[in-house]
Coordinates of all heavy atoms in Angstrom, one line a residue:
F1457 N 0.8 18.3 4.0 CA 0.6 19.3 5.0 C 0.0 20.5 4.3 O 0.5 20.9 3.2 CB 2.0 19.7 5.6 CG 1.8 20.7 6.7 CD1 1.1 20.5 7.9 CD2 2.5 21.9 6.7 CE1 1.0 21.4 8.9 CE2 2.4 22.8 7.7 CZ 1.6 22.6 8.8
P1460 N -3.8 27.2 5.7 CA -5.2 27.6 5.9 C -6.0 28.0 4.6 O -7.2 28.0 4.6 CB -5.0 28.9 6.8 CG -3.8 28.7 7.5 CD -2.9 28.0 6.5
L1490 N 8.3 22.5 10.0 CA 7.1 22.6 9.2 C 7.2 24.0 8.4 O 7.6 25.0 9.0 CB 5.9 22.6 10.1 CG 5.6 21.3 10.8 CD1 4.4 21.5 11.7 CD2 5.3 20.2 9.8
P1491 N 6.8 24.0 7.2 CA 6.9 25.2 6.4 C 5.8 26.2 6.7 O 4.8 26.3 5.9 CB 6.9 24.7 4.9 CG 6.1 23.4 5.0 CD 6.4 22.9 6.3
I1492 N 5.8 26.8 7.9 CA 4.7 27.7 8.3 C 5.2 29.1 8.1 O 6.3 29.5 8.5 CB 4.4 27.4 9.8 CG1 3.8 26.0 9.9 CG2 3.4 28.5 10.3 CD1 3.7 25.6 11.4
N1493 N 4.3 29.9 7.5 CA 4.6 31.3 7.3 C 4.1 32.1 8.6 O 3.0 31.9 9.0 CB 3.8 31.8 6.1 CG 4.0 33.3 5.8 OD1 4.4 34.1 6.6 ND2 3.6 33.7 4.6
I1494 N 5.0 32.8 9.2 CA 4.6 33.5 10.5 C 3.5 34.5 10.3 O 3.0 34.9 11.3 CB 5.9 34.1 11.2 CG1 6.5 35.2 10.4 CG2 6.9 33.0 11.5 CD1 7.5 36.0 11.1
N1495 N 3.3 34.9 9.1 CA 2.2 35.9 8.8 C 0.9 35.3 8.5 O -0.1 35.9 8.2 CB 2.6 36.9 7.7 CG 3.8 37.7 8.1 OD1 3.9 38.2 9.2 ND2 4.8 37.8 7.2
E1496 N 0.8 33.9 8.5 CA -0.4 33.2 8.1 C -0.8 32.2 9.3 O -0.5 31.1 9.2 CB -0.1 32.5 6.8 CG -1.4 32.0 6.2 CD -1.2 31.6 4.8 OE1 -0.1 31.5 4.3 OE2 -2.2 31.3 4.1
T1497 N -1.5 32.8 10.2 CA -2.1 31.9 11.3 C -3.4 31.3 10.8 O -4.0 31.8 9.9 CB -2.2 32.7 12.6 OG1 -3.2 33.8 12.4 CG2 -0.9 33.3 13.1
G1498 N -3.8 30.3 11.5 CA -5.1 29.7 11.1 C -5.0 28.2 11.2 O -4.1 27.6 11.9
R1499 N -5.9 27.5 10.6 CA -6.0 26.0 10.7 C -5.2 25.4 9.5 O -5.7 25.4 8.4 CB -7.5 25.6 10.7 CG -7.6 24.1 10.7 CD -8.9 23.6 11.2 NE -9.0 23.8 12.6 CZ -10.0 23.4 13.4 NH1 -11.0 22.8 12.9 NH2 -10.0 23.7 14.7
Y1500 N -4.1 24.8 9.9 CA -3.4 23.9 9.0 C -3.9 22.5 9.1 O -4.7 22.3 10.0 CB -1.9 24.0 9.3 CG -1.2 25.3 9.0 CD1 -1.4 26.4 9.8 CD2 -0.4 25.4 7.9 CE1 -0.8 27.6 9.5 CE2 0.3 26.6 7.6 CZ 0.1 27.7 8.4 OH 0.7 28.9 8.1
L1522 N -4.5 21.3 12.7 CA -3.5 21.9 13.5 C -3.7 23.4 13.5 O -3.4 24.0 12.5 CB -2.1 21.5 13.0 CG -0.9 22.1 13.7 CD1 -0.8 21.6 15.1 CD2 0.4 21.8 13.0
D1523 N -4.2 23.9 14.6 CA -4.4 25.3 14.7 C -3.1 26.1 15.1 O -2.5 25.7 16.1 CB -5.5 25.7 15.7 CG -6.9 25.2 15.3 OD1 -7.1 25.2 14.1 OD2 -7.7 24.8 16.1
I1524 N -2.7 27.0 14.3 CA -1.5 27.8 14.5 C -1.9 29.2 14.8 O -2.6 29.9 14.0 CB -0.6 27.7 13.3 CG1 -0.2 26.3 12.9 CG2 0.7 28.6 13.5 CD1 0.8 25.6 13.8
K1525 N -1.4 29.7 15.9 CA -1.6 31.1 16.3 C -0.2 31.7 16.7 O 0.4 31.2 17.7 CB -2.6 31.3 17.4 CG -2.9 32.7 17.8 CD -3.9 32.8 18.8 CE -4.3 34.3 19.1 NZ -5.3 34.4 20.2
I1526 N 0.3 32.7 16.0 CA 1.6 33.2 16.3 C 1.4 34.6 16.8 O 0.8 35.5 16.2 CB 2.5 33.3 15.0 CG1 2.7 31.8 14.5 CG2 3.8 33.9 15.3 CD1 3.3 31.7 13.2
I1527 N 2.0 34.8 18.0 CA 1.9 36.1 18.7 C 3.4 36.7 18.7 O 4.2 36.1 19.4 CB 1.3 36.0 20.1 CG1 -0.1 35.4 20.0 CG2 1.3 37.4 20.8 CD1 -0.6 35.0 21.3
L1528 N 3.5 37.8 18.0 CA 4.8 38.5 18.0 C 4.8 39.6 19.1 O 3.9 40.4 19.2 CB 5.1 39.1 16.7 CG 5.2 38.1 15.5 CD1 5.4 38.8 14.2 CD2 6.3 37.1 15.7
K1529 N 5.9 39.7 19.9 CA 6.0 40.7 21.0 C 7.3 41.4 20.8 O 8.3 40.9 20.3 CB 6.0 40.0 22.3 CG 4.7 39.2 22.7 CD 4.8 38.6 24.0 CE 3.5 37.9 24.4 NZ 3.6 37.3 25.7
E1530 N 7.3 42.6 21.3 CA 8.5 43.4 21.4 C 9.2 43.1 22.7 O 8.6 42.8 23.7 CB 8.2 44.9 21.4 CG 7.7 45.4 20.1 CD 7.5 46.9 20.0 OE1 7.7 47.6 21.0 OE2 7.2 47.4 18.9
T1540 N 10.2 41.9 17.4 CA 10.4 40.5 17.0 C 9.7 40.3 15.6 O 9.7 39.2 15.1 CB 9.9 39.5 18.0 OG1 8.6 39.8 18.3 CG2 10.8 39.5 19.3
S1541 N 9.1 41.3 15.1 CA 8.4 41.2 13.8 C 9.2 41.6 12.7 O 10.3 42.1 12.7 CB 7.1 42.0 13.8 OG 7.4 43.4 14.1

Side-chain angles (χ1 to χ4, degrees):
F1457 187 56
L1490 294 175
I1492 295 172
N1493 181 341
I1494 64 168
N1495 296 316
E1496 194 164 8
T1497 61
R1499 178 160 285 187
Y1500 289 75
L1522 176 64
D1523 291 327
I1524 303 285
K1525 183 176 182 181
I1526 298 172
I1527 301 170
L1528 300 175
K1529 295 181 180 181
E1530 290 185 354
T1540 57
S1541 56

